[in-house]
Short mmCIF file of all heavy atoms in Angstrom, two decimals:
data_model
loop_
_atom_site.label_atom_id
_atom_site.label_comp_id
_atom_site.label_asym_id
_atom_site.label_seq_id
_atom_site.Cartn_x
_atom_site.Cartn_y
_atom_site.Cartn_z
N PRO A 329 -37.42 -31.90 61.37
CA PRO A 329 -38.73 -31.33 61.00
C PRO A 329 -38.86 -29.88 61.43
O PRO A 329 -38.54 -29.53 62.57
CB PRO A 329 -39.71 -32.24 61.74
CG PRO A 329 -38.98 -33.54 61.91
CD PRO A 329 -37.55 -33.15 62.13
N GLY A 330 -39.30 -29.03 60.53
CA GLY A 330 -39.53 -27.63 60.84
C GLY A 330 -38.28 -26.76 60.83
O GLY A 330 -38.36 -25.56 61.14
N GLN A 331 -37.14 -27.32 60.46
CA GLN A 331 -35.90 -26.55 60.48
C GLN A 331 -35.58 -25.97 59.10
O GLN A 331 -36.12 -26.38 58.08
CB GLN A 331 -34.75 -27.43 60.96
CG GLN A 331 -34.91 -27.90 62.40
CD GLN A 331 -33.70 -28.62 62.92
OE1 GLN A 331 -32.58 -28.41 62.48
NE2 GLN A 331 -33.91 -29.51 63.89
N LEU A 332 -34.68 -24.98 59.12
CA LEU A 332 -34.28 -24.27 57.91
C LEU A 332 -33.61 -25.23 56.92
O LEU A 332 -32.82 -26.09 57.31
CB LEU A 332 -33.29 -23.17 58.30
CG LEU A 332 -32.92 -22.10 57.28
CD1 LEU A 332 -34.12 -21.20 57.00
CD2 LEU A 332 -31.74 -21.28 57.80
N ALA A 333 -33.93 -25.08 55.64
CA ALA A 333 -33.27 -25.89 54.61
C ALA A 333 -31.78 -25.58 54.59
O ALA A 333 -31.36 -24.42 54.69
CB ALA A 333 -33.88 -25.60 53.24
N HIS A 334 -30.97 -26.62 54.44
CA HIS A 334 -29.51 -26.50 54.55
C HIS A 334 -28.90 -27.51 53.59
O HIS A 334 -29.39 -28.65 53.47
CB HIS A 334 -29.11 -26.79 55.99
CG HIS A 334 -27.70 -26.48 56.36
ND1 HIS A 334 -26.62 -27.19 55.87
CD2 HIS A 334 -27.18 -25.54 57.20
CE1 HIS A 334 -25.50 -26.71 56.39
NE2 HIS A 334 -25.81 -25.70 57.20
N LEU A 335 -27.83 -27.13 52.90
CA LEU A 335 -27.27 -28.01 51.88
C LEU A 335 -26.70 -29.30 52.46
O LEU A 335 -26.75 -30.35 51.81
CB LEU A 335 -26.18 -27.28 51.09
CG LEU A 335 -26.66 -26.33 50.00
CD1 LEU A 335 -25.49 -25.56 49.40
CD2 LEU A 335 -27.40 -27.10 48.90
N ALA A 336 -26.16 -29.26 53.68
CA ALA A 336 -25.56 -30.47 54.25
C ALA A 336 -26.60 -31.55 54.54
O ALA A 336 -26.47 -32.69 54.07
CB ALA A 336 -24.75 -30.13 55.49
N PRO A 337 -27.67 -31.27 55.30
CA PRO A 337 -28.69 -32.31 55.49
C PRO A 337 -29.45 -32.63 54.20
O PRO A 337 -29.99 -33.73 54.08
CB PRO A 337 -29.62 -31.73 56.56
CG PRO A 337 -29.35 -30.28 56.58
CD PRO A 337 -27.92 -30.10 56.17
N THR A 338 -29.46 -31.71 53.24
CA THR A 338 -30.06 -32.03 51.94
C THR A 338 -29.27 -33.14 51.26
O THR A 338 -29.84 -34.12 50.74
CB THR A 338 -30.13 -30.78 51.05
OG1 THR A 338 -31.02 -29.83 51.65
CG2 THR A 338 -30.62 -31.12 49.65
N TYR A 339 -27.95 -33.00 51.26
CA TYR A 339 -27.09 -34.06 50.71
C TYR A 339 -27.33 -35.38 51.44
O TYR A 339 -27.49 -36.44 50.82
CB TYR A 339 -25.63 -33.63 50.86
CG TYR A 339 -24.61 -34.74 50.77
CD1 TYR A 339 -24.18 -35.23 49.54
CD2 TYR A 339 -24.07 -35.32 51.92
CE1 TYR A 339 -23.23 -36.26 49.46
CE2 TYR A 339 -23.13 -36.33 51.85
CZ TYR A 339 -22.71 -36.80 50.63
OH TYR A 339 -21.79 -37.82 50.56
N ALA A 340 -27.35 -35.33 52.78
CA ALA A 340 -27.53 -36.55 53.56
C ALA A 340 -28.88 -37.19 53.29
O ALA A 340 -28.98 -38.42 53.16
CB ALA A 340 -27.38 -36.22 55.05
N ALA A 341 -29.94 -36.39 53.21
CA ALA A 341 -31.28 -36.93 52.98
C ALA A 341 -31.39 -37.57 51.60
O ALA A 341 -31.93 -38.68 51.46
CB ALA A 341 -32.32 -35.82 53.13
N VAL A 342 -30.86 -36.90 50.58
CA VAL A 342 -30.92 -37.46 49.22
C VAL A 342 -30.13 -38.77 49.17
O VAL A 342 -30.59 -39.76 48.59
CB VAL A 342 -30.39 -36.44 48.19
CG1 VAL A 342 -30.20 -37.10 46.82
CG2 VAL A 342 -31.35 -35.26 48.08
N ASN A 343 -28.95 -38.80 49.77
CA ASN A 343 -28.16 -40.03 49.80
C ASN A 343 -28.91 -41.16 50.51
O ASN A 343 -28.95 -42.30 50.03
CB ASN A 343 -26.82 -39.79 50.50
CG ASN A 343 -25.71 -39.46 49.52
OD1 ASN A 343 -25.95 -39.15 48.36
ND2 ASN A 343 -24.48 -39.52 49.99
N ALA A 344 -29.49 -40.85 51.67
CA ALA A 344 -30.21 -41.87 52.43
C ALA A 344 -31.39 -42.41 51.63
O ALA A 344 -31.63 -43.63 51.59
CB ALA A 344 -30.68 -41.31 53.76
N LEU A 345 -32.13 -41.53 50.98
CA LEU A 345 -33.28 -41.96 50.19
C LEU A 345 -32.85 -42.81 48.99
O LEU A 345 -33.53 -43.77 48.62
CB LEU A 345 -34.08 -40.75 49.74
CG LEU A 345 -34.80 -40.00 50.87
CD1 LEU A 345 -35.26 -38.62 50.42
CD2 LEU A 345 -35.98 -40.81 51.40
N CYS A 346 -31.71 -42.48 48.40
CA CYS A 346 -31.20 -43.28 47.28
C CYS A 346 -30.72 -44.65 47.76
O CYS A 346 -30.84 -45.65 47.03
CB CYS A 346 -30.07 -42.54 46.56
SG CYS A 346 -30.63 -41.13 45.57
N ILE A 347 -30.19 -44.73 48.97
CA ILE A 347 -29.81 -46.02 49.52
C ILE A 347 -31.05 -46.88 49.76
O ILE A 347 -31.07 -48.08 49.44
CB ILE A 347 -29.02 -45.85 50.83
CG1 ILE A 347 -27.65 -45.23 50.56
CG2 ILE A 347 -28.85 -47.19 51.55
CD1 ILE A 347 -26.92 -44.78 51.81
N LEU A 348 -32.12 -46.27 50.30
CA LEU A 348 -33.36 -47.02 50.50
C LEU A 348 -33.87 -47.55 49.17
O LEU A 348 -34.33 -48.70 49.08
CB LEU A 348 -34.41 -46.13 51.17
CG LEU A 348 -34.05 -45.60 52.57
CD1 LEU A 348 -35.16 -44.71 53.09
CD2 LEU A 348 -33.76 -46.74 53.54
N GLY A 349 -33.81 -46.72 48.13
CA GLY A 349 -33.99 -47.17 46.76
C GLY A 349 -35.38 -47.64 46.37
O GLY A 349 -35.53 -48.32 45.35
N THR A 350 -36.41 -47.26 47.12
CA THR A 350 -37.77 -47.62 46.74
C THR A 350 -38.44 -46.44 46.05
O THR A 350 -38.01 -45.28 46.20
CB THR A 350 -38.60 -48.02 47.97
OG1 THR A 350 -38.70 -46.87 48.85
CG2 THR A 350 -37.95 -49.18 48.72
N GLU A 351 -39.50 -46.71 45.33
CA GLU A 351 -40.24 -45.61 44.68
C GLU A 351 -40.78 -44.65 45.72
O GLU A 351 -40.77 -43.43 45.52
CB GLU A 351 -41.37 -46.17 43.83
CG GLU A 351 -42.06 -45.11 42.98
CD GLU A 351 -43.01 -45.70 41.96
OE1 GLU A 351 -43.24 -46.93 42.00
OE2 GLU A 351 -43.52 -44.93 41.12
N GLU A 352 -41.22 -45.18 46.85
CA GLU A 352 -41.70 -44.33 47.93
C GLU A 352 -40.60 -43.39 48.39
O GLU A 352 -40.84 -42.19 48.61
CB GLU A 352 -42.16 -45.20 49.10
CG GLU A 352 -42.59 -44.40 50.33
CD GLU A 352 -42.85 -45.27 51.54
OE1 GLU A 352 -42.25 -46.38 51.63
OE2 GLU A 352 -43.64 -44.86 52.41
N ALA A 353 -39.38 -43.92 48.53
CA ALA A 353 -38.26 -43.09 48.98
C ALA A 353 -37.91 -42.04 47.93
O ALA A 353 -37.71 -40.85 48.26
CB ALA A 353 -37.05 -43.97 49.28
N TYR A 354 -37.82 -42.43 46.67
CA TYR A 354 -37.50 -41.48 45.60
C TYR A 354 -38.53 -40.35 45.54
O TYR A 354 -38.19 -39.18 45.34
CB TYR A 354 -37.45 -42.18 44.25
CG TYR A 354 -36.30 -43.14 44.06
CD1 TYR A 354 -36.45 -44.29 43.28
CD2 TYR A 354 -35.05 -42.91 44.64
CE1 TYR A 354 -35.41 -45.18 43.08
CE2 TYR A 354 -34.00 -43.79 44.45
CZ TYR A 354 -34.17 -44.92 43.67
OH TYR A 354 -33.14 -45.80 43.46
N ASN A 355 -39.80 -40.71 45.72
CA ASN A 355 -40.87 -39.72 45.56
C ASN A 355 -40.97 -38.75 46.72
O ASN A 355 -41.72 -37.77 46.65
CB ASN A 355 -42.20 -40.44 45.36
CG ASN A 355 -42.31 -41.07 43.98
OD1 ASN A 355 -41.61 -40.68 43.06
ND2 ASN A 355 -43.17 -42.08 43.85
N VAL A 356 -40.21 -39.00 47.80
CA VAL A 356 -40.14 -38.01 48.88
C VAL A 356 -39.53 -36.71 48.35
O VAL A 356 -39.93 -35.61 48.75
CB VAL A 356 -39.30 -38.56 50.05
CG1 VAL A 356 -38.91 -37.43 51.01
CG2 VAL A 356 -40.06 -39.65 50.78
N ILE A 357 -38.57 -36.82 47.43
CA ILE A 357 -37.81 -35.66 46.97
C ILE A 357 -38.65 -34.82 46.02
O ILE A 357 -39.03 -35.27 44.94
CB ILE A 357 -36.51 -36.11 46.27
CG1 ILE A 357 -35.68 -36.99 47.19
CG2 ILE A 357 -35.70 -34.89 45.81
CD1 ILE A 357 -34.53 -37.70 46.50
N ASP A 358 -38.96 -33.60 46.42
CA ASP A 358 -39.67 -32.65 45.55
C ASP A 358 -38.63 -32.01 44.65
O ASP A 358 -37.97 -31.03 45.02
CB ASP A 358 -40.40 -31.60 46.39
CG ASP A 358 -41.31 -30.71 45.56
OD1 ASP A 358 -40.96 -30.40 44.40
OD2 ASP A 358 -42.38 -30.33 46.07
N ARG A 359 -38.44 -32.56 43.46
CA ARG A 359 -37.34 -32.15 42.58
C ARG A 359 -37.44 -30.69 42.14
O ARG A 359 -36.42 -29.97 42.16
CB ARG A 359 -37.27 -33.08 41.37
CG ARG A 359 -36.88 -34.52 41.77
CD ARG A 359 -37.04 -35.50 40.62
NE ARG A 359 -36.18 -35.18 39.49
CZ ARG A 359 -36.62 -34.75 38.31
NH1 ARG A 359 -37.92 -34.55 38.10
NH2 ARG A 359 -35.77 -34.52 37.33
N PRO A 360 -38.61 -30.18 41.71
CA PRO A 360 -38.66 -28.76 41.33
C PRO A 360 -38.28 -27.82 42.47
O PRO A 360 -37.54 -26.85 42.28
CB PRO A 360 -40.11 -28.57 40.88
CG PRO A 360 -40.56 -29.94 40.46
CD PRO A 360 -39.87 -30.88 41.41
N LYS A 361 -38.78 -28.10 43.67
CA LYS A 361 -38.45 -27.25 44.81
C LYS A 361 -36.99 -27.41 45.23
O LYS A 361 -36.35 -26.43 45.63
CB LYS A 361 -39.38 -27.55 45.98
CG LYS A 361 -40.81 -27.06 45.76
CD LYS A 361 -41.68 -27.30 46.99
CE LYS A 361 -43.08 -26.76 46.78
NZ LYS A 361 -43.94 -26.98 47.98
N LEU A 362 -36.49 -28.63 45.13
CA LEU A 362 -35.07 -28.84 45.43
C LEU A 362 -34.21 -28.03 44.47
O LEU A 362 -33.23 -27.39 44.87
CB LEU A 362 -34.73 -30.33 45.33
CG LEU A 362 -33.24 -30.69 45.46
CD1 LEU A 362 -32.67 -30.21 46.79
CD2 LEU A 362 -33.04 -32.20 45.30
N GLN A 363 -34.57 -28.05 43.20
CA GLN A 363 -33.82 -27.29 42.20
C GLN A 363 -33.81 -25.80 42.54
O GLN A 363 -32.78 -25.12 42.48
CB GLN A 363 -34.42 -27.51 40.82
CG GLN A 363 -33.66 -26.81 39.70
CD GLN A 363 -34.45 -26.81 38.41
OE1 GLN A 363 -35.53 -26.23 38.33
NE2 GLN A 363 -33.92 -27.49 37.40
N ARG A 364 -34.98 -25.26 42.92
CA ARG A 364 -35.05 -23.84 43.24
C ARG A 364 -34.25 -23.50 44.50
O ARG A 364 -33.64 -22.44 44.60
CB ARG A 364 -36.51 -23.40 43.37
CG ARG A 364 -37.26 -23.41 42.03
CD ARG A 364 -38.57 -22.65 42.12
NE ARG A 364 -39.56 -23.38 42.89
CZ ARG A 364 -40.36 -24.33 42.41
NH1 ARG A 364 -40.27 -24.69 41.14
NH2 ARG A 364 -41.26 -24.91 43.17
N PHE A 365 -34.27 -24.42 45.47
CA PHE A 365 -33.45 -24.21 46.67
C PHE A 365 -31.97 -24.14 46.31
O PHE A 365 -31.23 -23.27 46.79
CB PHE A 365 -33.71 -25.32 47.68
CG PHE A 365 -32.70 -25.38 48.79
CD1 PHE A 365 -32.56 -24.33 49.69
CD2 PHE A 365 -31.86 -26.49 48.94
CE1 PHE A 365 -31.61 -24.38 50.72
CE2 PHE A 365 -30.91 -26.55 49.95
CZ PHE A 365 -30.79 -25.49 50.84
N LEU A 366 -31.54 -25.05 45.45
CA LEU A 366 -30.13 -25.03 45.04
C LEU A 366 -29.79 -23.73 44.33
O LEU A 366 -28.74 -23.13 44.60
CB LEU A 366 -29.82 -26.23 44.14
CG LEU A 366 -29.95 -27.63 44.76
CD1 LEU A 366 -29.50 -28.69 43.76
CD2 LEU A 366 -29.17 -27.75 46.06
N LEU A 367 -30.64 -23.30 43.44
CA LEU A 367 -30.36 -22.07 42.70
C LEU A 367 -30.32 -20.85 43.62
O LEU A 367 -29.54 -19.92 43.39
CB LEU A 367 -31.39 -21.87 41.59
CG LEU A 367 -31.30 -22.88 40.43
CD1 LEU A 367 -32.50 -22.73 39.49
CD2 LEU A 367 -30.00 -22.69 39.66
N ARG A 368 -31.12 -20.87 44.67
CA ARG A 368 -31.08 -19.76 45.64
C ARG A 368 -29.79 -19.77 46.45
O ARG A 368 -29.38 -18.74 47.00
CB ARG A 368 -32.28 -19.84 46.61
CG ARG A 368 -33.63 -19.56 45.99
CD ARG A 368 -34.67 -19.28 47.07
NE ARG A 368 -34.81 -20.36 48.03
CZ ARG A 368 -35.61 -21.42 47.90
NH1 ARG A 368 -36.36 -21.54 46.80
NH2 ARG A 368 -35.69 -22.34 48.83
N SER A 369 -29.16 -20.94 46.55
CA SER A 369 -27.94 -21.06 47.36
C SER A 369 -26.69 -20.71 46.59
O SER A 369 -25.60 -20.66 47.17
CB SER A 369 -27.83 -22.50 47.89
OG SER A 369 -28.97 -22.86 48.65
N LYS A 370 -26.81 -20.50 45.30
CA LYS A 370 -25.67 -20.20 44.44
C LYS A 370 -25.33 -18.71 44.50
O LYS A 370 -26.22 -17.86 44.45
CB LYS A 370 -26.02 -20.60 43.00
CG LYS A 370 -25.07 -20.14 41.91
CD LYS A 370 -23.85 -21.02 41.85
CE LYS A 370 -22.94 -20.56 40.72
NZ LYS A 370 -23.63 -20.48 39.42
N ARG A 371 -24.04 -18.39 44.59
CA ARG A 371 -23.58 -17.00 44.58
C ARG A 371 -23.12 -16.62 43.16
O ARG A 371 -22.72 -17.48 42.37
CB ARG A 371 -22.41 -16.81 45.54
CG ARG A 371 -22.71 -17.17 47.00
CD ARG A 371 -23.74 -16.26 47.62
NE ARG A 371 -25.11 -16.78 47.41
CZ ARG A 371 -26.22 -16.16 47.74
NH1 ARG A 371 -26.15 -14.96 48.27
NH2 ARG A 371 -27.39 -16.70 47.52
N PRO A 372 -23.14 -15.34 42.84
CA PRO A 372 -22.74 -14.93 41.47
C PRO A 372 -21.33 -15.33 41.07
O PRO A 372 -21.05 -15.54 39.89
CB PRO A 372 -22.89 -13.39 41.54
CG PRO A 372 -23.90 -13.14 42.61
CD PRO A 372 -23.66 -14.21 43.63
N ASP A 373 -20.40 -15.46 42.06
CA ASP A 373 -19.02 -15.81 41.73
C ASP A 373 -18.79 -17.31 41.62
O ASP A 373 -17.66 -17.76 41.43
CB ASP A 373 -18.05 -15.21 42.74
CG ASP A 373 -18.24 -15.77 44.15
OD1 ASP A 373 -19.24 -16.50 44.38
OD2 ASP A 373 -17.39 -15.49 45.02
N GLY A 374 -19.85 -18.13 41.76
CA GLY A 374 -19.72 -19.58 41.66
C GLY A 374 -19.69 -20.29 42.99
O GLY A 374 -19.77 -21.51 43.04
N ALA A 375 -19.54 -19.54 44.10
CA ALA A 375 -19.55 -20.15 45.43
C ALA A 375 -20.98 -20.52 45.82
O ALA A 375 -21.95 -20.10 45.19
CB ALA A 375 -18.95 -19.19 46.45
N TRP A 376 -21.09 -21.30 46.89
CA TRP A 376 -22.40 -21.74 47.39
C TRP A 376 -22.48 -21.45 48.89
O TRP A 376 -21.52 -21.69 49.62
CB TRP A 376 -22.60 -23.23 47.15
CG TRP A 376 -22.75 -23.58 45.70
CD1 TRP A 376 -21.75 -23.59 44.75
CD2 TRP A 376 -23.95 -23.91 45.02
NE1 TRP A 376 -22.27 -23.93 43.53
CE2 TRP A 376 -23.62 -24.14 43.66
CE3 TRP A 376 -25.28 -24.07 45.42
CZ2 TRP A 376 -24.57 -24.49 42.71
CZ3 TRP A 376 -26.23 -24.43 44.50
CH2 TRP A 376 -25.89 -24.63 43.15
N ILE A 377 -23.64 -20.94 49.33
CA ILE A 377 -23.88 -20.79 50.77
C ILE A 377 -24.63 -22.02 51.27
O ILE A 377 -25.41 -22.63 50.54
CB ILE A 377 -24.66 -19.50 51.10
CG1 ILE A 377 -25.98 -19.44 50.32
CG2 ILE A 377 -23.81 -18.27 50.82
CD1 ILE A 377 -26.89 -18.30 50.75
N MET A 378 -24.37 -22.38 52.51
CA MET A 378 -24.95 -23.61 53.05
C MET A 378 -26.44 -23.47 53.33
O MET A 378 -27.19 -24.45 53.25
CB MET A 378 -24.21 -24.01 54.33
CG MET A 378 -22.73 -24.33 54.13
SD MET A 378 -22.43 -25.64 52.92
CE MET A 378 -23.12 -27.07 53.75
N HIS A 379 -26.87 -22.27 53.65
CA HIS A 379 -28.30 -22.02 53.90
C HIS A 379 -28.54 -20.53 53.74
O HIS A 379 -27.60 -19.74 53.59
CB HIS A 379 -28.71 -22.49 55.31
CG HIS A 379 -27.96 -21.82 56.42
ND1 HIS A 379 -28.38 -20.64 56.99
CD2 HIS A 379 -26.81 -22.16 57.06
CE1 HIS A 379 -27.54 -20.29 57.94
NE2 HIS A 379 -26.56 -21.19 58.00
N GLU A 380 -29.79 -20.14 53.76
CA GLU A 380 -30.13 -18.72 53.60
C GLU A 380 -29.44 -17.89 54.67
O GLU A 380 -29.62 -18.12 55.87
CB GLU A 380 -31.65 -18.54 53.68
CG GLU A 380 -32.10 -17.12 53.43
CD GLU A 380 -33.62 -16.95 53.50
OE1 GLU A 380 -34.31 -18.00 53.60
OE2 GLU A 380 -34.09 -15.81 53.45
N GLY A 381 -28.60 -16.94 54.24
CA GLY A 381 -27.87 -16.10 55.18
C GLY A 381 -26.68 -16.79 55.81
O GLY A 381 -26.07 -16.24 56.74
N GLY A 382 -26.31 -17.97 55.31
CA GLY A 382 -25.25 -18.75 55.93
C GLY A 382 -23.90 -18.55 55.29
O GLY A 382 -23.70 -17.73 54.39
N GLU A 383 -22.93 -19.35 55.78
CA GLU A 383 -21.56 -19.26 55.30
C GLU A 383 -21.42 -19.91 53.93
O GLU A 383 -22.20 -20.78 53.56
CB GLU A 383 -20.61 -19.95 56.30
CG GLU A 383 -20.63 -21.48 56.28
CD GLU A 383 -21.77 -22.12 57.07
OE1 GLU A 383 -22.76 -21.41 57.38
OE2 GLU A 383 -21.70 -23.32 57.33
N GLU A 384 -20.42 -19.48 53.20
CA GLU A 384 -20.10 -20.14 51.95
C GLU A 384 -18.80 -20.91 52.11
O GLU A 384 -17.85 -20.44 52.73
CB GLU A 384 -19.98 -19.14 50.79
CG GLU A 384 -18.88 -18.11 50.89
CD GLU A 384 -18.80 -17.22 49.64
OE1 GLU A 384 -19.86 -16.77 49.19
OE2 GLU A 384 -17.68 -16.97 49.17
N ASP A 385 -18.77 -22.12 51.62
CA ASP A 385 -17.54 -22.90 51.57
C ASP A 385 -17.73 -24.04 50.57
O ASP A 385 -18.81 -24.24 50.02
CB ASP A 385 -17.10 -23.40 52.95
CG ASP A 385 -18.05 -24.39 53.60
OD1 ASP A 385 -18.40 -25.39 52.95
OD2 ASP A 385 -18.44 -24.18 54.76
N VAL A 386 -16.65 -24.78 50.36
CA VAL A 386 -16.62 -25.76 49.28
C VAL A 386 -17.55 -26.94 49.53
O VAL A 386 -17.94 -27.64 48.60
CB VAL A 386 -15.16 -26.22 49.04
CG1 VAL A 386 -14.73 -27.23 50.08
CG2 VAL A 386 -14.96 -26.75 47.63
N ARG A 387 -17.95 -27.15 50.80
CA ARG A 387 -18.95 -28.20 51.07
C ARG A 387 -20.23 -27.97 50.28
O ARG A 387 -20.87 -28.91 49.82
CB ARG A 387 -19.29 -28.26 52.56
CG ARG A 387 -18.19 -28.71 53.49
CD ARG A 387 -18.68 -28.57 54.93
NE ARG A 387 -19.06 -27.19 55.23
CZ ARG A 387 -19.93 -26.84 56.18
NH1 ARG A 387 -20.51 -27.76 56.94
NH2 ARG A 387 -20.21 -25.56 56.39
N GLY A 388 -20.60 -26.69 50.19
CA GLY A 388 -21.85 -26.36 49.50
C GLY A 388 -21.83 -26.79 48.06
O GLY A 388 -22.83 -27.32 47.53
N ALA A 389 -20.71 -26.57 47.38
CA ALA A 389 -20.59 -26.97 45.98
C ALA A 389 -20.75 -28.48 45.83
O ALA A 389 -21.43 -28.96 44.92
CB ALA A 389 -19.26 -26.51 45.41
N TYR A 390 -20.12 -29.23 46.73
CA TYR A 390 -20.21 -30.69 46.65
C TYR A 390 -21.63 -31.18 46.95
O TYR A 390 -22.19 -32.01 46.22
CB TYR A 390 -19.23 -31.33 47.64
CG TYR A 390 -19.43 -32.83 47.78
CD1 TYR A 390 -19.11 -33.69 46.74
CD2 TYR A 390 -19.97 -33.38 48.94
CE1 TYR A 390 -19.30 -35.06 46.85
CE2 TYR A 390 -20.16 -34.74 49.07
CZ TYR A 390 -19.83 -35.58 48.02
OH TYR A 390 -20.05 -36.93 48.14
N CYS A 391 -22.21 -30.69 48.04
CA CYS A 391 -23.56 -31.14 48.41
C CYS A 391 -24.56 -30.82 47.30
O CYS A 391 -25.43 -31.64 46.98
CB CYS A 391 -23.99 -30.49 49.71
SG CYS A 391 -23.06 -31.03 51.17
N ALA A 392 -24.44 -29.63 46.71
CA ALA A 392 -25.35 -29.25 45.63
C ALA A 392 -25.14 -30.12 44.40
O ALA A 392 -26.10 -30.61 43.79
CB ALA A 392 -25.15 -27.78 45.28
N ALA A 393 -23.89 -30.34 44.01
CA ALA A 393 -23.60 -31.15 42.82
C ALA A 393 -24.06 -32.59 43.01
O ALA A 393 -24.60 -33.21 42.09
CB ALA A 393 -22.11 -31.10 42.50
#
Side-chain angles (χ1 to χ4, degrees):
Q331 296 187 27
L332 192 69
H334 191 291
L335 280 174
T338 295
Y339 161 82
V342 169
N343 266 14
L345 291 165
C346 288
I347 292 169
L348 298 179
T350 63
E351 187 170 8
E352 176 188 27
Y354 292 147
N355 287 338
V356 165
I357 304 168
D358 188 325
R359 294 170 62 248
K361 289 184 178 180
L362 173 58
Q363 183 192 64
R364 290 194 288 275
F365 166 64
L366 295 184
L367 291 171
R368 291 196 303 273
S369 303
K370 169 79 178 306
R371 301 295 89 186
D373 64 350
W376 291 74
I377 56 171
M378 298 303 293
H379 60 88
E380 184 179 353
E383 75 279 17
E384 63 177 45
D385 65 53
V386 78
R387 293 174 302 155
Y390 170 70
C391 292

